[in-house]
Amino acid sequence: MTAPKTFAVKSFGCQMNVYDGERMAELMAADGLVPAADPAHADLVVLNTCHIRERATEKVYSDIGRLRKDAAKRGAVAPMIAVAGCVAQAEGAEIVRRAKVDVVVGPQAYHNLPALVAKAAAGEAGLDTDMPVDSKFGHLPARRRVGPTAFLTVQEGCDKFCTYCVVPYTRGAEVSRSFAAIVDEAKALVDAGAREITLLGQNVNAWEDEDGRGLDHLIRTLDRIPGLARIRYTTSHPNDMRQGLIDAHRDVESLMPFLHLPVQSGSDRVLKAMNRSHTTDSYLRVIDRVRAARSDIALSGDFIVGFPGETEAEFADTLRLVGAVGYAQAFSFKYSPRPGTPAADMADQIAPDVMDDRLQRLQAALNRDQAAFNAAAVGRTCDVLIERKGKLPGQMLGKSPWLQSVHLIGNHAIGDLVTVELVEAGPNSLTGRMPGRIAA
Ligand code: SAH
Ligand code: SF4
Ligand code: F3S
């Protein structure tokens, strides 16, 4: 196989995978490859995979098959394929054996991607799913150009071992990146055009520096970077929500009033079986403290319906919790048994039609609350960070502090912060108007 000249990265799954995908693209660019004008015709395709729910693995195999078939149809040579991300970590050599891909690289080893690609070009399949003590971050090239909103991974891995979840196995133990490395990268991102940075981690609020200072210390430091207008962070665990971080929501102006705090279930029996190590009550008390610090905060959550043994009454407890919190937005999923996790072997797996029904009812409640949250924002004046052009002429799209999509008509550049009045709400977005204007 000849050495690839062009590449494309396709990322699935969470925002941390999006971040990793960007870093892999930067690595390959630094190695002399160029992004393919048409990703479907790239010489090297990196599939940056997710393992969190069912069929992820099968999807990777079918993607690989399709890439090869499409190339054959065009009479072109099949692209070199690199499988990265959490399926790569979970399946490892099995992918090389089954799909004969050229490279398999895990989420903690992708700094070795250029070397693995070179090895593959020389005819030898490359596999690296190590989780080295010496982290990949020190081996990645500097950030160059980014959009107005950028991701920055500050923490990786998970020690919580919820019984349904693969993340502790695919991403390894909880590790915090060093304070200095994060601040340097944040400055580089701002120099490269970012106005908003979202700090990422599987348990981002478990981040701490060498002296045990928490995420609030990092946020207060980043707040002082000139040109950085907004800071966000995700995903947090209820048990790691320290008071310092809650206080930062009260006093740090650039910290946006938004908190994604997954709870998964409103039943204490189910939470225990999930090994969540919090109760509905302790979760609600965290929410109360957060709201006391920042009354307008938008709350978001993750939910799983149909965990093994979940009864109708336990599911009703989840609906009750949703009603008590009033989420601005949320993600909800049907439980998916993951190979190697304790819950996959539990008795009383829930029938698919019961899960479907519960998911529908939960989503109806969450949609109702999201619409209510959006409707309640009408009449507020707020800043919108312009992220891109809209479909209509003169239309621009951006985000409110509460992470709502806002469209407006105006002559703005991407990256501008524009003060608008929110004048109309839909279920998924709002309309903003420059104060003083008659029509949007
Ligand atoms: N670390 C974060 C999120 C991890 S994965 C946290 O603990 O909150 C993102 C979401 O995927 C989880 O919050 C959970 O709702 C969902 N998820 C994880 N494993 C799942 C599984 N086996 N089946 C269904 N949903 C799952
Ligand atoms: Fe998975 Fe639980 Fe860790 Fe979140 S806290 S990544 S759900 S094991
Ligand atoms: Fe998926 Fe891995 Fe993220 S399993 S959700 S890509 S941590």
Side-chain angles (χ1 to χ4, degrees), residues 12-14 17 49-52 86 166-167 170-171 202:
F12 305 86
C14 64
N17 253 15
T49 60
C50 172
H51 201 46
I52 201 84
C86 290
V166 291
V167 170
T170 62
R171 293 274 170 165
Q202 266 92 23

Side-chain angles (χ1 to χ4, degrees), residues 158-162 164-168 202-203 237 264 276:
C158 182
D159 300 337
K160 307 268 189 299
F161 290 93
C162 300
Y164 51 80
C165 184
V166 291
V167 170
Q202 266 92 23
N203 281 302
H237 192 282
Q264 317 299 354
R276 283 293 292 181

Side-chain angles (χ1 to χ4, degrees), residues 89 105-113 116 128-132 136:
Q89 191 66 40
V105 66
Q108 307 308 350
Y110 64 72
H111 53 292
N112 293 327
L113 188 57
L116 293 165
D128 190 347
T129 51
D130 285 353
M131 298 201 177
K136 67 196 171 226

Side-chain angles (χ1 to χ4, degrees), residues 12 16 32 41 58 85 92 147 166 203 211 214 230 252 301 342 350 354 357 399 410:
F12 305 86
M16 301 195 63
H41 295 185
E58 289 314 309
V166 291
N203 281 302
D211 303 320
R230 291 180 163 190
V252 181
I350 304 296
V354 175
D357 173 64
K399 292 269 161 58

Side-chain angles (χ1 to χ4, degrees), residues 81-83 96 101-105 115-117 119-120 123-128:
I81 294 175
V83 178
V96 180
V101 298
D102 308 283
V103 173
V104 173
V105 66
L116 293 165
V117 167
K119 204 166 144 189
E124 203 186 327
L127 170 74
D128 190 347

Side-chain angles (χ1 to χ4, degrees), residues 222-410:
L222 300 183
D223 175 59
R224 292 197 292 271
I225 298 178
L228 180 60
R230 291 180 163 190
I231 302 170
R232 300 181 184 277
Y233 62 94
T234 198
T235 291
S236 299
H237 192 282
N239 288 5
D240 291 322
M241 210 61 212
R242 301 190 196 175
Q243 191 58 38
L245 182 56
I246 295 176
D247 291 343
H249 275 288
R250 186 183 51 223
D251 3 281
V252 181
E253 207 192 325
S254 64
L255 180 59
M256 291 295 103
F258 187 94
L259 175 63
H260 181 64
L261 199 63
V263 62
Q264 317 299 354
S265 166
S267 152
D268 286 339
R269 211 257 334 140
V270 173
L271 287 174
K272 193 143 194 269
M274 286 177 163
N275 192 32
R276 283 293 292 181
S277 64
H278 60 77
T279 61
T280 47
D281 186 57
S282 67
Y283 178 83
L284 288 171
R285 275 187 282 129
V286 172
I287 301 270
D288 285 346
R289 277 157 58 212
V290 172
R291 279 192 164 139
R294 180 82 204 221
S295 59
D296 69 337
I297 199 150
L299 293 165
S300 160
D302 288 346
F303 296 89
I304 296 175
V305 300
F307 186 80
E310 183 188 68
T311 64
E312 177 58 30
E314 287 164 345
F315 172 68
D317 286 339
T318 299
L319 291 178
R320 240 188 310 280
L321 175 84
V322 166
V325 173
Y327 289 94
Q329 60 164 68
F331 302 95
S332 45
F333 313 99
K334 285 186 271 188
Y335 167 71
S336 170
R338 310 309 294 130
T341 59
D345 298 325
M346 286 179 185
D348 294 330
Q349 301 280 328
I350 304 296
D353 58 326
V354 175
M355 285 210 232
D356 285 335
D357 173 64
R358 288 182 189 166
L359 187 67
Q360 261 183 30
R361 283 150 67 204
L362 176 59
Q363 290 186 340
L366 292 167
N367 290 343
R368 174 202 66 207
D369 289 352
Q370 178 172 332
F373 185 85
N374 288 345
V378 171
R380 275 180 179 170
T381 297
C382 69
D383 285 348
V384 170
L385 177 60
I386 304 292
E387 292 182 8
R388 56 191 170 90
K389 284 193 158 119
K391 287 202 191 88
L392 307 174
Q395 190 186 48
M396 303 301 288
L397 284 176
K399 292 269 161 58
S400 77
W402 308 281
L403 207 64
Q404 297 148 303
S405 291
V406 178
H407 46 88
L408 49 97
I409 305 288

